[in-house]
Amino acid sequence: MIIIMLGAQGTGKGTVAGLLSEKLGIPQISTGDIFRKNIKEETELGIEANKYMSKGMLVPDDITVPMVAKRLEMDDVVDGAILDGFPRTIEQAKKFDEMLAAKGKKVDLVVNLTTPRDEIIERILTRRVCSNQECKATYNLIMHPPKKDGICDKCGAKLVQREDDSDESAINKRLEIYDVQTSPLVEYYEKRNVLRKEEISSRINRLGDKVASDLIEYIKESV
């Protein structure tokens, strides 16, 4: 099963995707993690990607698509995957459809998460991630804090704040880019009858675990 998570940064895509991955037994593939891995290893694509990410800009397709394509060739995606952060544009979506069709597969479900803008900004500024790349657990200092300050509950590694999560002006720029370039994907997948909309917000007491639980039930009924 191929699942795509849509929604602006800070809506909880990573959290929901992680819970779905655990329940469905298929890997969560985050383009953010792919980018950071390539940047850390200073690959050619990583160096180019960093030029855009450091400025809060969307990484171009000619960098993003090859990175994702390489990840999808790995053995752990044979039964499916949950894409978090890809595709982000209509062009990427079309290229992804072509990639899947060549393998005899298709997008089975697209989840669009929505959250009030002010809540998104607060979430991003208070987000912390595990520094252990094998773990990559995500926390929020307000909504989902670790049991021990600065330490990952799962593996005991140090929690860090991503560089692009600490600058509010860069966050707003990323959200503006999403509105212009990524939100049209909602209509794209809605026309293909694979879109499911979910609101995730502390204001209505509906957070990641509840959304993930409802999605699991929906998937069970749909398969």
Side-chain angles (χ1 to χ4, degrees):
M1 170 171 272
I2 302 295
I3 300 174
I4 291 174
M5 302 297 301
L6 292 182
Q9 297 91 336
T11 53
K13 295 193 302 298
T15 298
V16 175
L19 292 169
L20 291 178
S21 173
E22 184 179 330
K23 295 294 184 181
L24 298 174
I26 56 178
Q28 171 190 0
I29 298 177
S30 165
T31 50
D33 289 339
I34 294 173
F35 287 145
R36 282 183 284 275
K37 183 176 185 295
N38 278 269
I39 289 170
K40 184 178 181 180
E41 295 175 356
E42 297 186 337
T43 66
E44 183 178 348
L45 289 174
I47 291 172
E48 289 301 311
N50 193 42
K51 293 178 182 178
Y52 296 89
M53 291 181 66
S54 62
K55 299 176 182 177
M57 299 171 66
L58 196 66
V59 181
D61 291 353
D62 59 352
I63 298 174
T64 302
V65 175
M67 284 187 178
V68 174
K70 186 176 181 179
R71 177 64 181 88
L72 291 175
E73 292 173 356
M74 298 178 71
D75 293 339
D76 63 337
V77 301
V78 64
D79 293 325
I82 302 168
L83 278 294
D84 169 14
F86 180 89
R88 288 192 175 183
T89 65
I90 296 296
E91 189 60 31
Q92 286 183 2
K94 291 178 178 179
K95 289 180 180 179
F96 188 48
D97 285 341
E98 293 173 0
M99 289 165 55
L100 292 176
K103 299 176 181 294
K105 299 181 179 181
K106 63 180 179 61
V107 173
D108 298 290
L109 175 65
V110 178
V111 180
N112 181 44
L113 300 180
T114 61
T115 301
R117 182 60 58 90
D118 59 334
E119 193 172 331
I120 286 177
I121 293 173
E122 181 182 50
R123 284 185 188 181
I124 295 176
L125 290 171
T126 55
R127 179 166 60 189
R128 299 294 183 271
V129 296
C130 181
S131 57
N132 176 7
Q133 286 300 303
E134 297 300 319
C135 176
K136 298 180 294 187
T138 302
Y139 299 86
N140 185 282
L141 299 182
I142 297 175
M143 298 168 55
H144 175 47
K147 295 176 182 177
K148 185 177 180 181
D149 187 34
I151 301 298
C152 177
D153 295 346
K154 295 183 178 180
C155 72
K158 181 181 178 181
L159 298 182
V160 297
Q161 183 179 37
R162 295 170 182 162
E163 184 178 350
D164 54 347
D165 282 353
S166 61
D167 185 340
E168 188 169 344
S169 63
I171 293 171
N172 274 303
K173 190 167 186 176
R174 282 153 55 190
L175 294 174
E176 289 170 5
I177 290 173
Y178 175 82
D179 288 339
V180 173
Q181 296 185 318
T182 314
S183 57
L185 283 171
V186 173
E187 182 179 358
Y188 179 85
Y189 285 116
E190 199 165 31
K191 289 180 178 178
R192 286 158 176 72
N193 298 314
V194 293
L195 185 78
R196 182 177 174 86
K197 299 178 181 179
E198 296 283 355
E199 182 174 3
I200 178 168
S201 171
S202 57
R203 294 179 183 175
I204 59 173
N205 195 30
R206 182 173 171 77
L207 302 179
D209 54 350
K210 174 59 177 174
V211 172
S213 178
D214 288 350
L215 285 171
I216 291 295
E217 290 303 313
Y218 172 76
I219 290 170
K220 288 180 179 178
E221 294 173 1
S222 302
V223 174

